[in-house]
Amino acid sequence: MADAQAAPAADGARGGFGRGFGRGGRGGREGGRGRGGAPNKAPRKDGDSKDWTPLTKLGRLVKDGKIHTIEQVYLHSLPIKEYQIIDYFLKGLKDEVMKITPVQKQTRAGQRTRFKAYVVVGDSNGHVGLGVKCAKEVATAIRGALIMAKLSIIPVRRGYWGNKVDLPHTVPCKVTGKCGSVAVRLVPAPRGTGIVAAPVPKKILQMAGIQDVYTSSTGKTKTMGNFVMATFKAIANTYQLLSPDLWPTTVFVKNPYQEFSSGLAQKKEVA
């Protein structure tokens, strides 16, 4: 009888019943959700590149200082799969949320609403990227679109209108980009003209570092997602034309993966 009365005191307020065969119950408030009662994870810091542990060969070469500029990555067409590589090379990146739109999917239980975000990043000096991400929450969609924009950053080729005086200021030739029904055409302009464009492409062209350009657009430009994408494709097409200034013989160098193959082959020492 005494043992039966002592059981509630030992097991707390559970009336003599234990917590079962789990690894600590259901965790409680302090341990987060789940049976293990594991401690809450620290909040993820997307912009923290100092504590970055690279997971790819390119990331290891960048962190070790073997690759000095992002142009070396573009020269060998190496895929960038870690956004910290962009943060390492391009310090002055600015980002702009162009549009957030709700999208719906019809399910048996009704309609499922998510949010689609368009984010543009650029340094106003020849690099621009566009990211699109869909998520259940607005903040998650923006964060994902920002990472996608960094991973899709492209070099912007600039040229001259007329004499080659001072720095390049406009697009090198007439280029066109198309997405859906929207087509955007970029035409070189004299120095001092400015960006003659609607507010949406003007923001992207400013982030790309283009100072003077004429633009022409057709189609349903009210669909801002297609408008942004068509402008981005037009900018990307600046490197599609092989003009005479690119005719000289290129001096080929080894791919970074070949040049530093011995260092990449070494396994990390276990501390």
Side-chain angles (χ1 to χ4, degrees):
M1 201 59 189
D3 295 336
Q5 291 178 355
D11 295 327
R14 298 182 62 85
F17 294 96
R19 288 188 174 270
F21 296 101
R23 292 178 297 171
R26 291 189 60 83
R29 293 281 183 181
E30 297 179 358
R33 299 182 63 184
R35 289 188 175 181
N40 287 325
K41 294 182 179 179
R44 180 178 175 181
K45 297 181 181 179
D46 291 333
D48 192 2
S49 299
K50 296 180 181 178
D51 301 333
W52 165 44
T53 302
L55 303 176
T56 61
K57 290 182 180 180
L58 180 60
R60 289 167 57 188
L61 291 177
V62 169
K63 192 168 184 180
D64 293 342
K66 304 291 180 60
I67 297 179
H68 304 290
T69 61
I70 196 171
E71 276 67 30
Q72 290 179 264
V73 179
Y74 292 142
L75 178 64
H76 299 282
S77 300
L78 303 179
I80 301 175
K81 298 183 179 180
E82 295 177 276
Y83 70 91
Q84 292 91 344
I85 296 174
I86 302 298
D87 293 334
Y88 182 88
F89 287 124
L90 305 177
K91 305 293 186 183
L93 273 183
K94 296 182 180 179
D95 56 89
E96 180 83 16
V97 179
M98 302 301 295
K99 184 177 178 63
I100 299 175
T101 178
V103 293
Q104 291 182 331
K105 177 183 178 181
Q106 187 68 38
T107 62
R108 281 192 235 173
Q111 292 178 341
R112 186 189 68 179
T113 302
R114 296 199 298 173
F115 298 95
K116 193 175 186 180
Y118 292 83
V119 175
V120 176
V121 298
D123 61 351
S124 300
N125 191 25
H127 300 95
V128 68
L130 172 64
V132 183
K133 183 67 176 179
C134 193
K136 293 181 180 179
E137 297 180 2
V138 174
T140 309
I142 294 176
R143 192 182 309 116
L146 179 59
I147 293 175
M148 294 298 294
K150 289 181 179 179
L151 294 178
S152 67
I153 278 187
I154 58 172
V156 181
R157 185 179 170 199
R158 292 169 289 180
Y160 297 90
W161 184 94
N163 295 332
K164 295 182 179 180
V165 180
D166 208 354
L167 297 175
H169 62 98
T170 185
V171 290
C173 57
K174 297 178 184 178
V175 288
T176 304
K178 194 172 188 300
C179 181
S181 67
V182 182
V184 176
R185 192 183 194 205
L186 306 180
V187 181
R191 193 181 298 273
T193 302
I195 300 175
V196 184
V200 172
K202 186 173 185 179
K203 175 65 68 175
I204 303 175
L205 292 167
Q206 286 175 341
M207 287 190 168
I210 296 175
Q211 302 173 6
D212 310 291
V213 67
Y214 294 121
T215 63
S216 172
S217 59
T218 59
K220 189 75 172 179
T221 55
K222 186 178 180 181
T223 309
M224 189 182 292
N226 290 352
F227 203 9
V228 172
M229 191 70 71
T231 306
F232 180 73
K233 288 183 178 180
I235 295 174
N237 287 337
T238 54
Y239 266 108
Q240 298 296 318
L241 179 67
L242 185 63
S243 57
D245 57 337
L246 298 179
W247 286 357
T249 305
T250 303
V251 179
F252 292 100
V253 295
K254 281 188 177 181
N255 188 297
Y257 293 161
Q258 296 177 341
E259 186 176 356
F260 305 106
S261 59
S262 59
L264 293 172
Q266 294 177 357
K267 295 183 180 179
K268 295 183 180 179
E269 297 180 359
V270 180

